[in-house]
Every structure is written in structure tokens, then in C-alpha cells.
């Protein structure tokens, strides 16, 4: 890079000073347990919208899914549609309002606690907390990978060092300042992300001769699809894969549906609905969140696919080849090769912001899931104590696990690992979450059964049927002497397609066969009257 190290250092230093100032501000405003957990239920709607979007759109979306678009093409734009319609409109307008109201009436400060109190079950809260604590480090690990890979290629810093730098910075303000610090820093990071992605799109089209010219050039490259991808159903970067092919199933079931539906049951996103004071704030947030998500996902997937045009014109190879076969390096390599030096600095900050905003939410969610939901409410049966200190310790432990995963996970893993976690959340939590908000007849037994069937069904399919994970894990081979228990198309169908409907069916059947929830509890949950907040405790 032509940009001097000193100039780069000054820009990063200013950014870090702002981050730490906002983190300190969040720390000063954190007086009660509820402040640490859900920002005292009085967060500004616009900060909510940007925080939600910045948490949702991490380096896994920009680097991982942008790289996947470089390999698979613009069919991934269907995921952009899903993230806006499902992840913003349905999430805020349909799910968000009821989540906020019921959470307030029940005094819930975490997503597992909302579910546990709705169904009057400490087991639900504890199991959900344990599930988040065990599997969210996988998601956090790949977000760390995305940020560290760009820092590595941009600054020529050792990858292991880049992971540690990112982790230490984020941990400092999350552990001390709670969700207020997280959401304040998210707002700044989201603004940087929006600016960076807008400029990336403009520079890309300028570099490739214009919008029409760039897309036509990409269409004309269909004959350059490698034979291995053609055999899997790849028909070009501006066309959907062949219907029913292995690449079509991977694109549609794993990437588009896995993330596009799984977003509704993401604990770190759902808890944000409980941080505002009224429904009107959620309506306002939609007007900001929709355009933000469109800019983030639409640009990443478009530029990822168009990078093929740039690399073919400059190097005579497609993006995957230019990145040495690692799709996680397509976007970093494209930015560093094609963009002006000054923009590379700005985009490094954009990716740092994307990584830090999502990591901070993940670390906070993992810590509260273990410290509050599993330890205090499940193990200690709600006993008052040093909840925040236990939560902070849990954050530190899950951060350590995430760092270890960032060091050990294989290449080209970002998009796949994201879809795995989103799909697991959808199967485990979505049927119970839908029932908690919209179906009064759903019982505690139905909720527990759906959660267990969804979680273990998803993991079973992942480890014993879905070839992409079952083959490298080798459990099926070791136990049954077969790489996968099933064969043919079944081995490329994502767990979310099987486990989530099965969990919904289980919820309905078991609920209809068991005793209804007491009427007085349902009236407490669904009454339109706003009760007093029962959970305003000092820590």
C-alpha cells in the first residue's frame, strides 16, 4: 500500500478513541442489572436500528458471503431480499412488538429468559442459555476470522496477532459497559459501514466501466465456470444454479434459507427489541434498518460476484483462483488490488466496524446466556448474587473459546459456519418463539419438546447426513461404517429444511396433548395493559 503507516495509524487511533469514549459512556450509564442487559428499555430507535443492522451484518456477510457470491454468483441476492423482508420488516413489525411487550410484562432481560418465563420453565431458560453458550462461539470465531483476514492482507500483520488485537479491543468495552456500550459503539460502526459499502459499490462500477457494462461482462463469462462447478449445477454468475443440483441446494437451503429464516431466532438480535420503550420506536427503526441492510448485503453480494470481471480482466483468472481457492480471501484481495489506497484504509475501518459490532453483541449474548440464564436462573434457581460478575467471567471464557476457534477453523468456512449457527437457532428456538408470541395454546411441554427435537435433530442431521459436515467430522463413518447415513439428494439438504418443520410439528402435537397454560398467566403475558417493570435491580 502507498498509504503511509503513520497516516494509517492516525486514522485507526482516532477511530479507537471514539470507540473507547462511547464504551466509557455506556459504562457510566450502566447503573442497574437491566441497564447492563437491555439498556434500561429506553434506547433511541435509530440507535436500535443501526445496532441491529450492524450486529446482523458482520464480516461474515461482507467477507464470507461476499466471497461466496464470488464463487456462486448473484443468486445470493435472494438472501438480501430475505434479510430485508424477514430480518427487518417481519422481525420488527410482527415479532419485535410482541417481544417487547411480553418481555416487559414478564421482566425478561434476555431472549432465553423471555422464553423461560413465558412457559414458566427454568429448564427452557437454562437449556437455551447453554445452547447459546456452547455454539455461538462458532459464529464469533468466524466473525473474528473475517476481520482478521482483512487486517492481515491490508497491513501485512500476522493473522494470529490480528485476531488477538480485535479480541482485546472488543472485550474491553463489552465486559465493562454492557449492552449500552455495545449499542452506542454499534451506531458509530454502522455509520462507517454504510459509508464504506456505498463507496465500494460506486468505485466497483467505475472500475468496470459502468453498471450495464459490468453486469453484461459478468454474464458473458458463463463459459469460464470451472468444470467442477459446472458439474455441480453452476450456470454462470448472473444465473441461478440448475434446479435441484448440489450447488442449488447449498445456495437455497443452506445460505438463503438458513440465514434468511434463522435471523428470526437469533438471541443477540431478538433481545434488542426489548431495549426500546414503545412500539412506535420499532416502527421508526424499520425505516432506518431496511435501507441499511439493503446497502450492506446488496453491495457485498453484487461486488463479490463482479470481482470475477475485475480479476479476469487483470489476471486472466476468476475470483476463486485469484484468491488461491479460499473464498474468504476474495473480498480482501479484491479491495486491496482494485481500490484506491485511501479507500483501502476506509474499508479496513468498515470491516473492523463490522467485526467489532457483531462480536460485541455475540460476547454480550454469550456472557448473559451463561451467567444469567444458565448459572443464576437454572443452576441457582434465581438466587440473587453477583450476576454481573459471573456474566463478565462468562464473557471472558467464551471470548477465549472463540479465539481458539478462529485459529483452528479451516479455510472458506465463514459463510457455511454462519448458516450452521443460524439454522441451529431456527430449529431450536423458532417454533417455541412463535408459540410464545402468537399461540396461547402452546404449552410448556410442547415448547420443551420442540426445543429438544429442533436442537438434537439439527445436530444429528449435521453430523450424520449433511455431507459437507458429516464427512469431515467422521462420526457416521466411525459408528455406522458409512460416510453418511442417507445417500443422494438427502446429503445436500440443509438441516434447517428437516429439523425446523419437525420441531414445529412436535410443538403442535405435544401442546394439543398436554394441559393448557393457566389462564391467569396468559392474561399477564398478553394483556394490553403495561405493567410495572419487575426487574429493575441494582448490581
Amino acid at each position: 500500500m502507498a498509504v503511509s503507516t503513520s497516516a494509517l495509524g492516525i486514522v485507526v487511533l482516532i477511530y479507537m478513541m471514539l470507540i473507547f469514549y462511547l464504551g466509557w459512556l455506556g459504562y457510566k450509564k450502566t447503573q442497574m442489572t437491566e441497564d447492563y442487559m437491555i439498556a434500561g428499555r429506553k434506547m433511541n430507535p435509530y440507535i436500535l436500528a443501526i445496532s441491529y443492522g450492524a450486529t446482523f451484518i458482520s464480516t461474515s456477510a461482507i467477507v464470507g458471503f461476499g466471497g461466496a457470491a464470488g464463487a456462486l454468483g448473484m443468486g445470493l441476492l435472494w438472501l438480501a431480499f430475505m434479510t430485508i423482508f424477514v430480518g427487518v420488516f417481519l422481525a420488527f413489525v410482527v415479532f419485535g412488538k410482541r417481544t417487547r411487550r411480553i418481555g416487559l410484562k414478564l421482566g425478561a432481560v434476555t431472549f432465553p429468559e423471555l422464553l423461560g418465563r413465558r412457559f414458566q420453565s427454568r429448564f427452557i431458560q437454562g437449556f437455551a442459555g447453554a445452547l447459546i453458550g456452547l455454539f455461538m462461539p462458532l459464529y464469533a470465531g468466524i466473525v473474528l476470522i473475517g476481520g482478521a483476514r482483512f487486517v492481515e492482507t491490508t497491513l501485512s500483520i500476522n493473522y494470529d496477532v490480528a485476531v488477538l488485537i480485535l479480541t482485546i479491543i472488543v472485550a474491553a468495552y463489552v465486559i465493562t459497559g454492557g449492552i449500552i456500550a455495545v449499542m452506542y459503539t454499534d451506531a458509530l460502526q454502522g455509520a462507517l459501514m454504510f459509508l464504506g459499502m456505498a463507496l465500494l459499490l460506486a468505485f466497483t462500477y467505475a472500475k468496470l466501466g459502468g453498471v450495464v457494462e459490468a453486469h453484461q461482462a459478468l454474464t458473458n463469462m458463463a463459459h469460464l465456470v470451472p468444470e467442477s462447478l459446472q458439474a455441480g449445477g453452476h450456470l454462470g454468475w448472473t444465473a441461478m444454479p440448475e434446479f435441484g443440483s448440489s450447488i442449488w441446494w447449498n445456495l437455497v437451503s443452506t445460505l438463503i434459507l438458513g440465514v434468511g429464516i434463522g435471523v428470526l431466532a437469533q438471541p443477540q438480535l431478538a433481545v434488542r427489541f426489548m431495549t426500546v420503550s414503545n412500539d412506535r420506536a420499532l416502527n421508526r427503526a424499520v425505516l432506518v434498518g431496511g435501507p441499511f441492510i439493503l446497502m450492506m448485503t446488496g453491495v457485498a453480494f453484487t461486488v463479490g460476484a463482479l470481482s470475477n470481471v475485475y480479476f479476469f480482466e487483470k489476471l486472466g483468472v476468476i475470483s476463486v483462483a485469484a484468491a488461491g481457492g479460499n473464498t474468504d480471501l476474495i473480498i480482501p484481495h479484491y479491495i486491496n488490488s482494485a481500490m484506491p489506497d485511501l479507500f483501502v484504509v476506509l474499508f479496513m475501518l468498515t470491516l473492523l466496524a463490522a467485526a467489532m459490532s457483531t462480536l460485541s453483541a455475540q460476547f454480550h449474548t454469550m456472557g448473559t446466556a451463561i451467567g444469567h440464564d444458565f448459572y443464576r436462573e437454572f443452576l441457582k434457581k434465581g438466587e440473587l448474587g453477583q450476576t454481573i460478575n459471573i456474566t463478565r467471567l462468562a464473557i471472558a471464557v467464551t471470548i477465549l473459546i472463540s479465539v481458539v476457534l478462529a485459529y483452528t477453523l479451516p479455510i472458506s468456512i465463514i459463510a457455511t459456519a454462519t448458516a450452521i449457527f443460524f439454522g441451529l437457532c431456527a430449529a431450536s428456538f423458532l417454533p417455541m418463539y412463535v408459540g410464545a408470541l402468537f399461540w396461547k395454546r402452546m404449552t410448556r411441554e410442547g415448547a420443551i419438546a420442540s426445543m429438544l427435537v429442533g436442537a438434537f435433530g439439527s445436530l444429528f442431521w449435521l453430523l450424520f447426513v449433511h455431507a459437507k459436515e458429516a464427512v469431515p467430522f467422521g462420526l457416521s463413518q466411525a459408528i455406522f461404517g458409512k460416510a453418511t447415513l442417507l445417500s443422494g439428494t438427502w446429503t445436500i439438504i440443509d438441516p434447517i429444511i428437516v429439523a425446523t418443520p419437525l420441531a414445529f410439528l412436535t410443538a403442535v402435537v405435544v401442546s394439543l396433548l398436554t394441559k393448557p397454560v393457566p389462564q391467569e398467566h396468559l392474561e399477564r403475558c398478553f394483556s394490553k395493559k403495561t405493567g410495572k417493570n419487575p426487574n429493575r435491580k441494582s448490581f
Side-chain angles (χ1 to χ4, degrees):
M1 278 178 57
V3 178
S4 69
T5 303
S6 59
L8 180 60
I10 291 171
V11 172
V12 173
L13 179 62
I14 293 171
Y15 169 69
M16 291 304 172
M17 288 173 65
L18 288 171
I19 290 295
F20 280 114
Y21 170 73
L22 292 171
W24 176 81
L25 205 61
Y27 170 75
K28 295 294 288 184
K29 290 191 175 186
T30 301
Q31 304 296 325
M32 305 286 181
T33 298
E34 194 177 68
D35 297 331
Y36 192 88
M37 299 293 192
I38 51 171
R41 302 186 196 271
K42 52 188 177 183
M43 184 58 66
N44 180 284
Y46 302 111
I47 292 180
L48 162 67
I50 297 299
S51 174
Y52 180 96
T55 298
F56 184 14
I57 305 301
S58 66
T59 48
S60 69
I62 298 172
V63 174
F65 282 79
L72 302 178
M74 289 193 175
L76 212 59
L77 285 171
W78 280 106
L79 176 56
F81 167 77
M82 291 287 286
T83 56
I84 296 167
F85 180 70
V86 177
V88 177
F89 179 74
L90 285 183
F92 277 79
V93 176
V94 180
F95 283 74
K97 292 179 180 179
R98 291 212 173 194
T99 299
R100 187 199 68 78
R101 291 177 206 158
I102 296 174
L104 176 60
K105 292 177 192 302
L106 298 178
V109 295
T110 66
F111 179 65
E113 186 163 62
L114 172 75
L115 300 174
R117 291 194 176 185
R118 163 64 176 85
F119 294 109
Q120 299 176 298
S121 169
R122 290 192 188 277
F123 175 78
I124 287 177
Q125 184 173 350
F127 187 86
L131 205 62
I132 292 166
L134 284 172
F135 290 99
M136 190 175 275
L138 171 67
Y139 186 21
I142 55 97
V143 173
L144 272 173
I145 291 173
R149 285 298 182 198
F150 193 82
V151 172
E152 175 193 31
T153 56
T154 303
L155 301 181
S156 299
I157 291 177
N158 179 271
Y159 170 75
D160 295 345
V161 175
V163 168
L164 283 178
I165 291 172
L166 271 178
T167 304
I168 291 169
I169 292 169
V170 176
Y173 65 83
V174 176
I175 292 175
T176 57
I179 202 168
I180 298 179
V182 169
M183 294 181 77
Y184 279 176
T185 53
D186 282 354
L188 171 65
Q189 291 158 344
L192 276 174
M193 291 162 64
F194 191 92
L195 176 62
M197 296 303 280
L199 290 175
L200 175 61
L201 185 66
F203 279 132
T204 295
Y205 282 132
K207 197 83 175 178
L208 300 180
V211 177
V212 175
E213 291 79 4
H215 286 265
Q216 187 59 54
L218 186 62
T219 300
N220 295 340
M221 289 177 61
H223 66 284
L224 296 172
V225 175
E227 289 184 8
S228 59
L229 292 179
Q230 288 183 34
H234 199 310
L235 301 178
W237 289 276
T238 58
M240 283 292 288
E242 182 182 349
F243 179 79
S245 65
S246 60
I247 292 179
W248 185 90
W249 276 109
N250 178 52
L251 178 65
V252 174
S253 72
T254 300
L255 302 183
I256 296 175
L257 294 180
V259 175
I261 294 175
V263 62
L264 287 175
Q266 287 295 294
Q268 73 277 18
L269 299 180
V271 74
R272 275 159 171 69
F273 302 139
M274 296 190 279
T275 65
V276 293
S277 59
N278 53 56
D279 291 349
R280 189 167 57 254
L282 293 173
N283 290 334
R284 291 175 181 170
V286 172
L287 300 176
V288 177
F292 181 85
I293 296 292
L294 174 63
M295 180 62 72
M296 295 300 105
T297 57
V299 171
F301 304 161
T302 299
V303 169
L306 290 174
S307 67
N308 285 282
V309 178
Y310 171 79
F311 285 122
F312 184 70
E313 290 179 352
K314 297 297 180 182
L315 304 176
V317 295
I318 61 174
S319 297
V320 174
N326 186 353
T327 59
D328 295 342
L329 291 177
I330 289 176
I331 292 295
H333 189 37
Y334 170 72
I335 299 296
N336 283 286
S337 302
M339 296 294 109
D341 291 333
L342 190 59
F343 176 78
V344 175
V345 176
L346 173 63
F347 202 76
M348 187 192 74
L349 290 182
T350 299
L351 283 186
L352 278 176
M356 290 170 66
S357 59
T358 301
L359 285 169
S360 61
Q362 291 169 330
F363 293 160
H364 181 267
T365 301
M366 289 186 291
T368 57
I370 295 174
H372 180 77
D373 297 310
F374 183 72
Y375 176 78
R376 175 185 165 179
E377 295 297 328
F378 181 65
L379 293 183
K380 293 294 185 178
K381 309 298 182 186
E383 177 184 318
L384 293 177
Q386 297 297 314
T387 305
I388 301 303
N389 290 334
I390 296 296
T391 297
R392 286 170 171 160
L393 177 62
I395 291 174
V397 171
T398 53
I399 286 173
L400 179 62
I401 296 170
S402 302
V403 169
V404 171
L405 288 172
Y407 288 148
T408 57
L409 287 170
I411 65 170
S412 301
I413 190 62
I414 293 178
T416 299
T418 302
I420 288 173
F421 181 74
F422 273 59
L424 177 63
C425 286
S428 305
F429 302 139
L430 188 56
M432 178 170 51
Y433 187 30
V434 171
L437 301 183
F438 304 107
W439 192 32
K440 296 180 182 180
R441 184 61 182 82
M442 189 166 184
T443 65
R444 172 171 48 213
E445 293 80 6
I448 292 173
S450 75
M451 179 173 64
L452 295 177
V453 167
F456 290 111
S458 182
L459 291 173
F460 178 84
W461 197 267
L462 197 75
L463 294 173
F464 292 96
V465 180
H466 197 236
K468 198 166 186 178
E469 293 80 32
V471 173
F473 271 106
L475 282 179
S476 180
Q477 185 68 49
I479 298 172
F480 301 104
K482 299 165 65 174
T484 57
L485 287 183
L486 300 178
S487 58
T489 303
W490 291 111
T491 63
I492 53 177
I493 294 176
D494 194 78
I496 193 174
I497 302 296
V498 177
T500 306
L502 190 59
F504 267 107
L505 179 62
T506 301
V508 172
V509 171
V510 175
S511 292
L512 293 177
L513 293 175
T514 50
K515 185 178 178 180
V517 175
Q519 188 62 34
E520 58 270 22
H521 180 67
L522 292 177
E523 288 177 0
R524 182 188 174 197
C525 294
F526 293 98
S527 170
K528 293 186 178 179
K529 292 181 180 179
T530 302
K532 290 184 179 180
N533 183 353
N535 211 59
R536 186 83 178 158
K537 305 185 189 75
S538 173
F539 66 89

